[in-house]
Amino acid sequence: DIVVTQSPDSLAVSLGERATINCKSSQPVLYGSTNKYYLGWFQQKPGQPPKRLIYWASTRESGVPDRFSGSGSGTDFTLTISNVQAEDVAVYFCQQYRGTLYTFGQGTRLEIK
Amino acid sequence: QLQMQESGPGLVKASETLSLTCTVAGGSINSIRYFWGWIRQSPGKGLEWIGTVLYTGVTYYNPSLRSRVTLSVDTSKNRFSLTLNSVTAADTAVYFCAREVDDVAWGRQGTFDVWGRGTMVTVSS
């Protein structure tokens, strides 16, 4: 089974600071014929469905502020939120696709210090 | 803009069958470019992919649920459905339907871009 582990489980940052969330897959994340990784990042606020922020590991969803960025390759990926704002308080998930299976990380809770 | 809406009973008795439907509005389900999925979220297990169905009826299931899950699609009503048999308390969760896109230029995205709001299903003993 593929296991996707996020770190940390929670973090608190000051407004305007940077938040970094890591996502590690137990197997290399698949990429397609165009060399794009099947790895996405989601933001979830209470009572709402997950909202996709990033796909193909680093492609920002339309309308998502550019303070959100994704990077990584192979088994290790990162979501960086620069200049954290109050509205960024949420739980963040990574999700990968491989071998017809979709697997989510356990989530990282972002709070404001 | 595409919208997805889950519907079905909020309470199911243990050992019985859970049935949910996802109705798609603002776009057609009838495209080879879309994969229609079900995901659930419970406090104990986080987000768990259940399965995916194409408009052709081709299905993909999470191996951990395969023996109990059936997905189907009704293109005439622009909706797809989930059936989960022999439910237990462990199946209590918020169930989401969602879409994955196979981009014309760049291929599959491998992640879900549009989600329904989710529906809470509780399994009672």
Side-chain angles (χ1 to χ4, degrees), chain A residues 18 22 26 35 37-38 47 83-84 93:
Chain A
R18 173 179 297 184
N22 301 300
S26 61
N35 286 343
Y37 286 100
Y38 295 147
N83 187 22
V84 168
F93 296 92

Side-chain angles (χ1 to χ4, degrees), chain A residues 62-76:
Chain A
S62 175
V64 171
D66 60 7
R67 63 179 183 274
F68 292 91
S69 63
S71 62
S73 63
T75 59
D76 296 281

Side-chain angles (χ1 to χ4, degrees), chain A residues 37-49:
Chain A
Y37 286 100
Y38 295 147
L39 188 287
W41 289 97
F42 296 83
Q43 175 192 68
Q44 188 177 32
K45 297 182 178 180
Q48 297 183 18

Side-chain angles (χ1 to χ4, degrees), chain A:
Chain A
D1 289 2
I2 298 173
V3 178
V4 177
T5 304
Q6 292 180 226
S7 62
D9 289 331
S10 65
L11 77 162
V13 301
S14 301
L15 288 173
E17 295 297 307
R18 173 179 297 184
T20 301
I21 300 171
N22 301 300
C23 176
K24 186 174 184 66
S25 176
S26 61
Q27 295 184 30
V29 175
L30 192 65
Y31 62 88
S33 59
T34 53
N35 286 343
K36 293 184 180 296
Y37 286 100
Y38 295 147
L39 188 287
W41 289 97
F42 296 83
Q43 175 192 68
Q44 188 177 32
K45 297 182 178 180
Q48 297 183 18
K51 172 189 175 183
R52 193 173 70 175
L53 303 173
I54 302 285
Y55 59 101
W56 288 331
S58 60
T59 300
R60 197 178 303 112
E61 192 75 44
S62 175
V64 171
D66 60 7
R67 63 179 183 274
F68 292 91
S69 63
S71 62
S73 63
T75 59
D76 296 281
F77 297 84
T78 300
L79 174 70
T80 301
I81 311 170
S82 58
N83 187 22
V84 168
Q85 301 297 300
E87 60 264 32
D88 299 336
V89 169
V91 179
Y92 292 84
F93 296 92
C94 61
Q95 177 250 307
Q96 67 92 40
Y97 171 78
R98 180 183 174 93
T100 76
L101 300 180
Y102 304 80
T103 309
F104 292 87
Q106 81 277 14
T108 295
R109 186 175 302 278
L110 175 65
E111 299 174 336
I112 303 297
K113 247 184 227 180

Side-chain angles (χ1 to χ4, degrees), chain B residues 37-88:
Chain B
W38 287 97
I39 301 103
R40 67 183 183 180
Q41 185 172 32
S42 60
K45 293 196 74 175
L47 286 161
E48 180 180 33
W49 170 70
I50 300 169
T52 293
V53 63
L54 279 66
Y55 85 101
T56 56
V58 171
T59 54
Y60 304 92
Y61 297 125
N62 188 323
S64 68
L65 296 168
R66 185 194 308 274
S67 63
R68 297 194 293 131
V69 172
T70 302
L71 302 191
S72 60
V73 61
D74 186 341
T75 56
S76 67
K77 295 183 178 178
N78 222 40
R79 68 188 190 190
F80 59 105
S81 299
L82 161 70
T83 300
L84 181 65
N85 302 321
S86 305
V87 297
T88 69

Side-chain angles (χ1 to χ4, degrees), chain B residues 5-16:
Chain B
Q5 177 70 57
E6 306 87 352
S7 59
L11 189 64
V12 181
K13 292 183 179 179
S15 80
E16 296 190 347

